[in-house]
Amino acid sequence: MKKRDFGAVRQLPSGRWQAKYRHPQSNQFITAPSTFPTRGDADRWSANTQADLERGSWIDPSLGAVTLEEYATLWMEERILAPRSAELYRGLLRLHIIPVLGRIKLCDLSPRDVRAWHAQLCKSAHPGRPTVAKAYRLLRTICETAVNDEMIPRNPCKVKGASTEHAAERPVATVAQVEQLYEAMEDRYKAMVLLAAWCSPRLGEVLALTRRDVDLKAGTVRITKAESQLQNGQRIIGPPKTKAGVRTVSVPPHVIPLLEEHLRVFSGPGRDGLVFVGKKGGPLRRVSFYAAWLRATKATGLDDLRFHDLRHTGATLAAATGASTKELMARLGHASAAAALRYQHATVDRDQAIAQVLSGLVLPKDDGVRDDGSEDDAGNKANSGVEDL
């Protein structure tokens, strides 16, 4: 062992080099987590560690000696999470993170470990890419907390683009298809189709609506809460997805009479009665609604359409009216402009397609070219104008 101003380095029988330094509190030797191919590499590691100590950025490696599973369990216990989020996180940890990475110590979890784990998930048939992105984001968040807790010096989650969900583009129903779905749905669910397509609420927001939330005279629906159902069937009422989700949405006039009829025939009694209830008068279970939805989509040939796609339909139709970004954000309950801009972009694309069709209406019969192939004066002038533009 060769003594140095800070710690010590020595060459092992294998020919590689090992570096050690003394713990600033316990005075016990701490060995570098890996060996080095040259003495210079070992010296540089020692110098960097000494610099971290002098800057006050040194991380005690013993703090990161807990396994990822142990720390993730503590992380979950310390979080205040919505029930559905807690259920999702526990599932991601149990199914996709802990089986592969759980036994690795936090201080030993490397970018290479994370990259290999992520690649393995991506190559597997299950789960899908959106779930892989959710699992990666959860792992990154847990590790970032460990960095903030000064248990590890840096976050090992460095896979570029891994946190982005690349879900397939969902279909947008036409007005005619919305009418077909409305006719095919069971009577007690018809109004749900209309609200989703023309007012763009989320399913959880629809299922939480009460009579007091609906003002037929003003023609509005007030969204202040959302329903979620856990895997065990427990029904939970809480705030909407974001603070911006609390909103008042104007109902298109043609929907109001149909909504009024639904309230009269199907909704629960009293001001706090649910707008949409099950066949026995209790809260509507999603499994019951989805069964009716699948029957309707199959009958209309819209098998790939999800109920949430009607929200996209309503957003796209609203954008087509010329609604501004802020107006779309308010109507959809979006906290950021990014989602609302997607619908405006879709409208711009459609407008460009319309422009192409309109261009085809110009001189559809007389294109300024004579039968003999020569151009007349009008054709020359038209072409000259196009060149100028």
Side-chain angles (χ1 to χ4, degrees):
M1 178 75 70
K2 182 178 180 180
K3 297 293 182 181
R4 310 191 58 81
D5 293 338
F6 176 81
V9 297
R10 69 168 180 169
Q11 190 172 27
L12 301 174
S14 64
R16 294 181 66 84
W17 290 80
Q18 183 185 69
K20 291 184 177 182
Y21 67 100
R22 289 189 181 277
H23 191 287
Q25 282 83 42
S26 69
N27 206 36
Q28 299 293 318
F29 267 115
I30 298 176
T31 303
S34 60
T35 57
F36 306 92
T38 68
R39 186 173 68 183
D41 292 331
D43 287 340
R44 279 188 289 274
W45 182 88
S46 295
N48 289 336
T49 302
Q50 182 179 18
D52 287 341
L53 277 165
E54 293 173 350
R55 288 193 299 262
S57 58
W58 175 76
I59 301 295
D60 188 343
S62 64
L63 296 179
V66 298
T67 65
L68 175 64
E69 182 176 10
E70 292 170 332
Y71 186 74
T73 300
L74 179 63
W75 187 90
M76 287 292 297
E77 291 174 353
E78 293 178 342
R79 303 272 97 61
I80 299 176
L81 300 169
R84 283 285 292 131
S85 296
E87 184 178 63
L88 172 64
Y89 293 171
R90 283 194 293 267
L92 293 172
L93 286 167
R94 184 182 71 255
L95 298 174
H96 307 304
I97 299 176
I98 298 304
V100 179
L101 302 176
R103 294 185 179 181
I104 300 177
K105 293 180 181 179
L106 273 178
C107 58
D108 294 335
L109 186 63
S110 68
R112 178 177 295 179
D113 294 327
V114 175
R115 188 167 57 252
W117 162 78
H118 179 261
Q120 178 183 335
L121 281 182
C122 289
K123 292 176 182 178
S124 302
H126 300 286
R129 287 301 182 91
T131 301
V132 173
K134 289 183 176 68
Y136 178 85
R137 288 202 301 270
L138 177 58
L139 177 62
R140 184 183 62 184
T141 301
I142 291 173
C143 290
E144 191 61 32
T145 304
V147 173
N148 295 335
D149 288 345
E150 298 184 350
M151 300 182 71
I152 54 177
R154 60 190 61 85
N155 195 325
C157 298
K158 300 179 181 298
V159 183
K160 188 175 181 179
S163 62
T164 304
E165 295 183 35
H166 299 284
E169 185 175 350
R170 296 301 309 168
V172 175
T174 65
V175 174
Q177 288 172 333
V178 171
E179 290 299 315
Q180 291 172 6
L181 278 171
Y182 172 81
E183 295 296 336
M185 282 294 288
E186 295 180 29
D187 288 347
R188 67 173 50 252
Y189 305 132
K190 287 182 181 292
M192 291 181 67
V193 172
L194 295 178
L195 277 181
W198 294 104
C199 299
S200 298
R202 301 174 178 90
L203 177 58
E205 296 169 346
V206 173
L207 295 178
L209 287 175
T210 61
R211 285 180 176 269
R212 70 171 63 250
D213 298 321
V214 181
D215 188 339
L216 292 176
K217 291 184 178 179
T220 60
V221 171
R222 178 68 177 165
I223 297 173
T224 60
K225 51 194 177 298
E227 182 254 33
S228 61
Q229 293 179 16
L230 303 184
Q231 292 180 354
N232 62 7
Q234 182 181 359
R235 183 173 182 268
I236 298 172
I237 300 294
K241 189 175 182 179
T242 64
K243 290 183 179 180
V246 177
R247 62 200 188 276
T248 298
V249 181
S250 295
V251 181
H254 76 278
V255 176
I256 292 176
L258 302 171
L259 185 55
E260 183 178 17
E261 177 68 7
H262 174 89
L263 289 170
R264 185 183 67 82
V265 177
F266 296 110
S267 298
R271 293 277 290 161
D272 292 322
L274 290 170
V275 174
F276 297 99
V277 298
K279 293 182 179 179
K280 295 183 179 180
L284 176 58
R285 292 293 177 179
R286 296 187 182 214
V287 63
S288 299
F289 170 72
Y290 283 139
W293 173 261
L294 289 174
R295 288 192 293 270
T297 53
K298 184 176 181 180
T300 54
L302 300 172
D303 305 63
D304 293 336
L305 196 70
R306 300 181 308 189
F307 182 77
H308 194 73
D309 295 331
L310 293 182
R311 172 172 163 83
H312 299 318
T313 298
T316 303
L317 292 173
T321 67
S324 68
T325 302
K326 287 189 176 181
E327 289 168 338
L328 284 175
M329 289 172 61
R331 189 167 182 83
L332 299 172
H334 283 153
S336 70
L341 283 171
R342 286 201 297 269
Y343 300 111
Q344 289 181 317
H345 290 165
T347 303
V348 169
D349 292 341
R350 177 59 187 154
D351 190 54
Q352 290 175 344
I354 292 171
Q356 292 291 332
V357 176
L358 290 175
S359 183
L361 299 178
V362 179
L363 299 176
K365 295 181 180 180
D366 184 3
D367 58 4
V369 180
R370 300 180 189 274
D371 292 340
D372 61 4
S374 63
E375 295 182 341
D376 59 18
D377 292 341
N380 286 328
K381 181 179 287 187
N383 288 339
S384 175
V386 171
E387 290 170 0
D388 290 342
L389 290 175

